């Protein structure tokens, strides 16, 4: 756990930020949620784990309202933001 919290990298050079999307445009909600649970189980603070507030990151990954075409990043209220949908939105045309 110290390895993750202190910015350690895996064999491919990825860090906690890479695995969770923390600090990026889109958080990876599932991965970030797992990291937050890991922090709690390890008696660490998920609001300050590896220099990131994972709980705030999760909150920011939830849609407050559906997006409108051509942006499909938020399919519905309280759904997770869809980074791949946003990336595809430039090629999306409404019927």
């Amino acid at each position: 756990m110290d390895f993750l919290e202190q910015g350690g990298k895996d064999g491919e050079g990825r860090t906690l930020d890479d695995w969770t999307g923390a600090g990026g445009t889109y958080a990876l909600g599932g991965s970030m949620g797992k990291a937050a649970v890991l922090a709690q189980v390890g008696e660490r603070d998920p609001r300050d784990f590896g220099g990131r507030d994972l709980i705030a990151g999760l909150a920011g990954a939830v849609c407050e309202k559906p997006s409108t075409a051509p942006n499909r990043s938020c399919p519905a209220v309280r759904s997770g933001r869809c980074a791949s949908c946003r990336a595809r939105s430039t090629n999306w045309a409404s019927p």
Side-chain angles (χ1 to χ4, degrees), residues 8-71:
K9 296 181 180 182
D10 67 10
E12 295 179 14
R14 296 175 298 183
T15 65
L16 180 66
D17 286 355
D18 297 319
W19 298 322
T20 63
T25 304
Y26 293 99
L28 304 172
S31 297
M32 191 172 291
K34 289 174 183 110
V37 169
L38 174 70
Q40 287 182 319
V41 168
E43 299 181 356
R44 307 292 173 92
D45 183 359
R47 293 192 177 275
D48 184 18
F49 187 73
R52 298 286 181 195
D53 183 339
L54 300 174
I55 303 304
L58 284 168
V62 176
C63 297
E64 294 178 14
K65 63 181 183 178
S67 54
T68 56
N71 179 349

Side-chain angles (χ1 to χ4, degrees), residues 68-70 72 89 91-95:
T68 56
R72 298 186 300 158
S89 68
N91 298 325
W92 181 76
S94 58

Side-chain angles (χ1 to χ4, degrees), residues 61 63 65-68 71-83 85-86:
C63 297
K65 63 181 183 178
S67 54
T68 56
N71 179 349
R72 298 186 300 158
S73 62
C74 283
V77 173
R78 293 187 299 275
S79 69
R81 294 186 191 279
C82 177
C85 296
R86 175 72 175 146

